[in-house]
Amino acid sequence: MTAVKSLGTHPLLDKILSIVGEDRVNDNPVIISSYTKDASHLTAERPGIIVMPESVEEVQAIVKLCAETKTPLVAAGGRNGICGACLPRRKGTVMLDMVKMDKIVILDEDVMTVTVEAGLRWAELIHRLDDKGYKLGFRGPYGGNVGTVGGSTSINSIGYAASKYGPSPESTVSLEVVLANGDVLQTGTGWNPDAQIFGRYSTYNDLTGIFLGDQGTLGVKTKVTLKIYPKAEFITYGDFGFKTLEAATAAFLRVQKRGLTEELNLLADRQSTDTFFPGFLDNHKEIHAMFASIVQETDEQLANRKMEIVREIALEHGGKDLGNFASQMHWGELFNLVQPLYNNGFWLNTCHLRPITRIPDIMKRAWEIFKKYELLDNGIKWIASCLGAERAYATGWITLFPPSQDKMELAETAWNELLDAILDTGGCPYWNGLLWENRTLPITNKEFLETYWKIKKALDPDGIFAPGTFRGFE
Ligand SMILES: Cc1cc2nc3c(=O)[nH]c(=O)nc-3n(C[C@H](O)[C@H](O)[C@H](O)COP(=O)(O)OP(=O)(O)OC[C@H]3O[C@@H](n4cnc5c(N)ncnc54)[C@H](O)[C@@H]3O)c2cc1C
């Protein structure tokens, strides 16, 4: 950061300099510009100053300073979110860039947990655990080359291996959180200073949960403890095509309910498969929808047998065995899988959760919208993909790709209708942020929001953390 000098304009600059030194703080407009967006097209206020803490003590000191001066503070991870969650809503905000807090603190093989600093990126964590013979449960969002553990757990991310292990919060055992008064809270079995961090639920109620998915509004996560499992070397793959989405969904639900796969991905129509894997269905004219399934086990026979069962279920629903190109590509590319999709244009995403049984409901509405706005004739492609989440729900990952700026207005009109349709058909976005708040806050159960605001006021009386987020009751 020293290459571009600070302008010295932020009122807290000198005090922050005294906490972290010169190299990890800046309020120069050029630096600030690079912090004004996440991976979406949404915009909010520019941060007032950027600080890169390296320790919990530095985070504590900065939080205390912000509380004393009632200065807004936003924690950012990889800024790889696609809903604008990490963008400040208030001028002069202190933005904590957490990515220098990226150490593995303890790999506790006795209790099968790993404790990491919140700014560690998923890709690095996965590779380092792999070297030691372990895997995570939830393995990070598809953007895990950049996304951090702290960012994902703050935003209910869902992604790799969620079909078996559920979204990011399900794999979290415990958190270390810096509260608004500067105190450091340890949740889970960490309440006992003599205990290892082995469990989330013990002795008291679950304090981990209120910080998961909070979008940084209740505290700054400095450490996250995650579940680990023995590395599973045996992987089997299977792609299955169906004449109708209904048949594909019925088979998908049965596979998912039995918990057979590590990852189960549905592509809801031909266009989605063509956008993801061009040419894959060219020789299968009758196929409308497909799923790619990945089984991962510590035992070869078990991996083979589970894939046989997936195949049997698919065939019982009229499925066609398409080989294993899509599932191998999907699993093998890991976090590099989806970046190339930017070649189709900008992402207008509608990421949300829904029961698997209600996938056809949203697709019926989506196809009407795609047709009404003649998206394909305008060069706007889409991918409608559903990733199984544990038991019987899934993501609805429906993304429009406007290829150029002149198609953006049309795509946004269709996208806005799609966002409404998602909520109308019983969908629940996993993150919220600028993308969803205008739609979610007005319809959120009043008691839910009031309870959230009571907790917020108790924990953060001056409202320093991410003010303006979930603004319904401010
Ligand atoms: C190519 C691509 C693929 C993607 N695929 C997926 C996907 O499959 N699934 C998915 O869920 N998302 C996906 N995303 C979005 C993104 O990767 C995830 O949302 C990711 O979890 C964001 O992590 P981050 O560290 O970048 O968080 P940020 O965007 O920096 O922040 C997200 C939120 O967390 C808060 N926060 C961050 N760190 C802390 C902390 N230490 N303490 C308290 N609050 C904090 C921020 O204030 C903000 O509210 C994708 C994005 C791209 C560009």
Side-chain angles (χ1 to χ4, degrees):
M1 276 220 197
T2 43
V4 182
K5 290 280 178 222
S6 163
L7 280 196
T9 50
H10 195 277
L12 298 188
L13 177 67
D14 289 341
K15 286 193 171 141
I16 294 176
L17 279 173
S18 71
I19 298 168
V20 298
E22 262 188 26
D23 288 351
R24 291 182 280 119
V25 53
N26 213 305
D27 63 354
N28 186 288
V30 176
I31 298 289
I32 299 281
S33 290
S34 65
Y35 282 84
T36 53
K37 296 283 277 288
D38 64 1
S40 72
H41 66 299
L42 301 160
T43 51
E45 289 291 343
R46 294 163 67 83
I49 190 165
I50 312 296
V51 192
M52 301 178 95
E54 276 184 347
S55 66
V56 63
E57 290 78 16
E58 287 183 357
V59 174
Q60 283 180 276
I62 296 160
V63 168
K64 273 189 196 158
L65 176 63
C66 287
E68 278 159 23
T69 55
K70 299 195 179 9
T71 306
L73 180 147
V74 166
R79 290 172 287 119
N80 198 46
I82 36 183
C83 64
C86 70
L87 305 181
R89 317 283 178 92
R90 298 284 184 271
K91 287 192 193 314
T93 294
V94 173
M95 181 175 271
L96 290 186
D97 177 344
M98 297 296 290
V99 298
K100 283 194 179 288
M101 292 186 64
D102 63 351
K103 292 180 209 60
I104 293 183
V105 183
I106 309 165
L107 172 62
D108 193 335
E109 297 172 85
D110 287 353
V111 296
M112 297 295 280
T113 60
V114 64
T115 299
V116 304
E117 288 186 326
L120 182 61
R121 299 179 199 272
W122 290 99
E124 190 181 338
L125 173 57
I126 285 171
H127 292 305
R128 288 178 60 188
L129 282 177
D130 191 71
D131 290 346
K132 301 271 185 197
Y134 295 104
K135 66 172 186 176
L136 292 170
F138 169 79
R139 250 153 272 176
Y142 293 137
N145 280 331
V146 180
T148 64
V149 174
S152 295
T153 50
S154 301
I155 207 172
N156 296 328
S157 272
I158 186 158
Y160 276 102
S163 306
K164 188 162 183 177
Y165 298 97
S168 177
E170 295 275 7
S171 287
T172 309
V173 173
S174 166
L175 297 169
E176 179 188 271
V177 185
V178 175
L179 302 171
N181 62 2
D183 286 352
V184 180
L185 169 73
Q186 181 71 60
T187 69
T189 54
W191 69 264
N192 175 355
D194 292 325
Q196 285 159 279
I197 301 187
F198 57 87
R200 176 164 160 189
Y201 309 104
S202 80
T203 326
Y204 298 101
N205 54 319
D206 172 31
L207 281 191
T208 309
I210 60 167
F211 296 94
L212 297 172
D214 73 339
Q215 292 191 197
T217 58
L218 298 182
V220 179
K221 295 169 191 71
T222 43
K223 293 192 188 78
V224 182
T225 302
L226 298 166
K227 299 173 192 174
I228 57 168
Y229 301 84
K231 188 161 133 181
E233 311 258 18
F234 300 99
I235 308 181
T236 46
Y237 302 94
D239 304 335
F240 301 96
F242 299 82
K243 288 183 185 157
T244 65
L245 175 60
E246 284 71 18
T249 305
F252 185 86
L253 178 60
R254 275 183 64 197
V255 174
Q256 186 59 30
K257 275 187 178 173
R258 291 200 43 189
L260 294 165
T261 62
E262 199 87 350
E263 179 104 338
L264 187 64
N265 258 288
L266 178 85
L267 287 162
D269 58 15
R270 282 191 76 93
Q271 180 55 47
S272 300
T273 306
D274 284 348
T275 309
F276 222 130
F277 303 111
F280 183 67
L281 291 182
D282 285 0
N283 295 326
H284 307 282
K285 298 289 178 212
E286 77 286 16
I287 298 304
H288 185 71
M290 63 165 286
F291 65 69
S293 49
I294 296 118
V295 171
Q296 187 173 28
E297 288 296 339
T298 48
D299 177 89
E300 189 172 13
Q301 280 184 321
L302 198 54
N304 287 333
R305 180 63 194 131
K306 281 191 170 180
M307 186 49 70
E308 270 172 29
I309 300 172
V310 173
R311 187 169 185 276
E312 283 160 18
I313 292 173
L315 299 192
E316 276 170 33
H317 288 270
K320 181 177 183 184
D321 191 332
L322 301 175
N324 55 25
F325 169 80
S327 43
Q328 282 213 47
M329 173 97 172
H330 178 98
W331 199 244
E333 286 294 310
L334 200 65
F335 299 125
N336 299 323
L337 179 75
V338 294
Q339 274 100 330
L341 296 177
Y342 277 102
N343 290 332
N344 295 305
F346 205 77
W347 294 21
L348 295 178
N349 79 83
T350 61
C351 298
H352 69 284
L353 301 171
R354 67 177 45 242
I356 291 170
T357 49
R358 299 207 64 187
I359 291 170
D361 294 350
I362 185 60
M363 284 315 299
K364 193 164 167 284
R365 294 279 295 273
W367 289 324
E368 285 165 8
I369 293 166
F370 300 158
K371 196 168 161 201
K372 176 174 162 191
Y373 293 102
E374 300 177 331
L375 294 191
L376 280 184
D377 291 343
N378 280 285
I380 300 169
K381 294 181 183 174
W382 65 82
I383 291 177
S385 161
C386 299
L387 166 70
E390 47 105 35
R391 295 168 300 124
Y393 67 102
T395 61
W397 192 82
I398 308 172
T399 301
L400 305 184
F401 297 95
S404 51
Q405 189 60 39
D406 61 314
K407 298 293 180 192
M408 196 68 174
E409 197 181 330
L410 176 69
E412 279 195 87
T413 308
W415 179 58
N416 275 307
E417 259 183 54
L418 201 49
L419 292 171
D420 289 334
I422 280 156
L423 296 174
D424 293 350
T425 56
C428 295
Y430 27 109
W431 50 60
N432 208 348
L434 293 167
L435 195 160
W436 283 104
E437 276 180 16
N438 286 343
R439 286 179 168 82
T440 52
L441 286 170
I443 62 170
T444 299
N445 172 289
K446 182 169 164 285
E447 290 72 22
F448 182 99
L449 273 184
E450 279 177 356
T451 305
Y452 164 78
W453 275 102
K454 279 181 197 151
I455 294 169
K456 168 79 176 164
K457 278 177 190 144
L459 286 181
D460 181 15
D462 295 316
I464 60 161
F465 291 131
T469 302
F470 309 148
R471 65 187 174 278
F473 278 74
E474 252 190 345

